[in-house]
Amino acid sequence: MSVPGVIIDASNVAATRKRPWPFSRVVEVRDAWLRDHPGATAIAVLDATVRPFLDEQHLVRQAEREQWLEVHQGDADDRILALAARFGAAIVSSDNFRFARREHAWLQGNNSRVWSARRVHGRVLLSPRHLGIATDEEIERDRLHKLDKAGLLREDAEERFRCTDPAGTCLRRGTVLLPRQVNKDGNRWFCRSCGYEAVEVVEPPVPEGVDAGPVLVTVQHGYTVRATVAVGPQGLTLGRASRSRPGTTDVTEGLGADRAAEISRAHLRISLDDDGRPLAEHLPENNASFLNPELDFEGLPRTARLAAGTPYALEDGDELHLGPGTVRLRISSGARAGDEPGSEYTG
């Protein structure tokens, strides 16, 4: 394998809300990276449990023949991070990798080596991500969540079975069988109810954000929640609203005049990509917006300033700071309206 310039998280990139997942999405992202980075080398790592659930298997086989796809039998995330650390490569993934921030400290606050791949009007958009600094509590929570999804917190980890009774008369047909409901003979399992063979059930890991619900934006002044608004199909423009700008959602109500003046009339736009996932774009040339910034001793953002007119991918839990940081926007997916005090929901 040649030294890669980028590692593509193939399971993450291919995943959509509907199955089977198209592998052509991985091919398109690789082509886009090589087009934007002439002379670079790109490889993709695919979780072996995902492969049976992919559409366009001929493209999977072609990628293996061309030796730019690795189908990994273990934890694909660990393999992706290990390769990136070994070769100093970038990663294309929507994963925040909070679970691995202790082992891979270079992920903390990274703003150049982890990239997003989004589709806007059918075209692949690649952009660097600002991951921010994860707390010890967040790292431990995500580490335990990852273990739970992998089944490693259960005594019968990864052992689920399905009866293959062809007549459909078994009382347990169509249900998931636990280890105590099957008998093992050599390398084969059999349903205890009817005696027909039972096969192990393997489900692919679902990447972050794939099954997300509506995108919600929680508006805060400092740590005080002011409102929660939803991003509709037409997107959401946030700033210093007035009667002459009915299309702008005001985020300055309750601020003093000096603080409100640091927010532009049309300051930030949040839109949805082709998959319904959020993108942020800082609109004016003046003032500022920051994505998951590091804060100085006064609590003001000092890194991760957004360039004007450039779309940045947003993930669940991301935080945007507007102006000097007085106004904060927290992104969430699938949360219920009204969960936050003083919230409102607009479609």
Side-chain angles (χ1 to χ4, degrees):
M1 179 180 67
S2 58
V3 176
V6 66
I7 315 296
I8 300 171
D9 185 348
S11 305
N12 189 283
V13 168
T16 64
R17 296 189 182 189
K18 296 181 179 180
R19 295 179 185 168
W21 296 339
F23 187 74
S24 56
R25 292 168 67 99
V26 180
V27 177
E28 291 166 359
V29 167
R30 177 178 180 267
D31 290 347
W33 184 274
L34 296 179
R35 181 178 61 248
D36 293 346
H37 301 81
T41 301
I43 69 168
V45 177
L46 176 68
D47 192 308
T49 62
V50 172
R51 180 171 181 163
F53 298 89
L54 290 176
D55 198 2
E56 305 164 325
Q57 288 287 328
H58 67 287
L59 293 179
V60 178
R61 293 189 293 271
Q62 180 178 338
E64 288 182 296
R65 288 195 301 270
E66 295 174 354
Q67 298 184 345
W68 62 264
L69 175 66
E70 175 184 328
V71 180
H72 190 64
Q73 297 295 329
D75 189 304
D77 286 341
D78 289 344
R79 177 62 174 168
I80 289 165
L81 291 172
L83 288 172
R86 177 182 176 186
F87 296 114
I91 295 173
V92 175
S93 176
S94 64
D95 200 318
N96 284 314
F97 298 113
R98 278 188 290 260
F99 67 89
R101 301 290 181 93
R102 294 184 185 128
E103 296 82 2
H104 298 279
W106 54 271
L107 290 167
Q108 289 279 53
N110 179 274
N111 61 0
S112 62
R113 286 180 62 185
V114 181
W115 289 63
S116 72
R118 296 292 184 82
R119 282 163 180 76
V120 180
H121 306 305
R123 181 178 176 84
V124 174
L125 173 68
L126 294 166
S127 61
R129 295 178 56 197
H130 302 290
L131 297 184
I133 303 295
T135 64
D136 288 340
E137 292 78 9
E138 290 173 327
I139 293 171
E140 183 63 13
R141 181 199 64 200
D142 281 24
R143 188 186 71 83
L144 293 176
H145 179 61
K146 179 179 175 63
L147 292 174
D148 185 50
K149 285 203 307 182
L152 299 180
L153 298 184
R154 300 192 302 263
E155 292 182 0
D156 54 353
E158 298 184 353
E159 291 185 334
R160 298 291 188 274
F161 302 90
R162 177 173 50 82
C163 176
T164 61
D165 169 23
T169 57
C170 178
L171 294 177
R172 298 191 183 278
R173 181 169 176 81
T175 63
V176 174
L177 305 179
L178 300 178
R180 65 178 179 271
Q181 296 169 319
V182 298
N183 291 318
K184 187 175 182 180
D185 183 7
N187 294 324
R188 302 173 69 185
W189 295 270
F190 298 88
C191 174
R192 284 191 175 184
S193 295
C194 66
Y196 278 101
E197 187 170 1
V199 294
E200 188 173 4
V201 176
V202 178
E203 285 292 330
V206 179
E208 294 181 7
V210 172
D211 292 330
V215 175
L216 303 182
V217 180
T218 299
V219 181
Q220 300 178 186
H221 291 173
Y223 294 101
T224 302
V225 174
R226 304 293 299 185
T228 298
V229 294
V231 182
Q234 302 305 315
L236 188 68
T237 300
L238 304 108
R240 194 175 72 249
S242 70
R243 292 180 180 178
S244 63
R245 293 183 297 278
T248 300
T249 297
D250 184 40
V251 296
T252 62
E253 184 178 358
L255 292 178
D258 290 344
R259 291 291 190 182
E262 294 170 325
I263 305 299
S264 298
R265 295 173 179 175
H267 193 105
L268 185 90
R269 178 162 179 78
I270 298 179
S271 58
L272 302 179
D273 66 13
D274 295 353
D275 296 316
R277 303 174 68 185
L279 300 163
E281 181 180 350
H282 178 77
L283 299 175
E285 293 293 338
N286 61 336
N287 292 327
S289 296
F290 305 84
L291 175 57
N292 296 325
E294 296 179 33
L295 305 180
D296 62 19
F297 289 111
E298 296 180 354
L300 302 178
R302 63 183 183 88
T303 62
R305 181 170 179 166
L306 303 187
T310 301
Y312 292 82
L314 298 176
E315 303 295 343
D316 189 63
D318 280 351
E319 192 171 88
L320 292 148
H321 294 227
L322 308 189
T326 305
V327 177
R328 300 183 181 186
L329 310 175
R330 191 162 184 85
I331 307 301
S332 58
S333 300
R336 293 176 300 145
D339 280 351
E340 302 285 357
S343 66
E344 62 184 26
Y345 185 94
T346 60

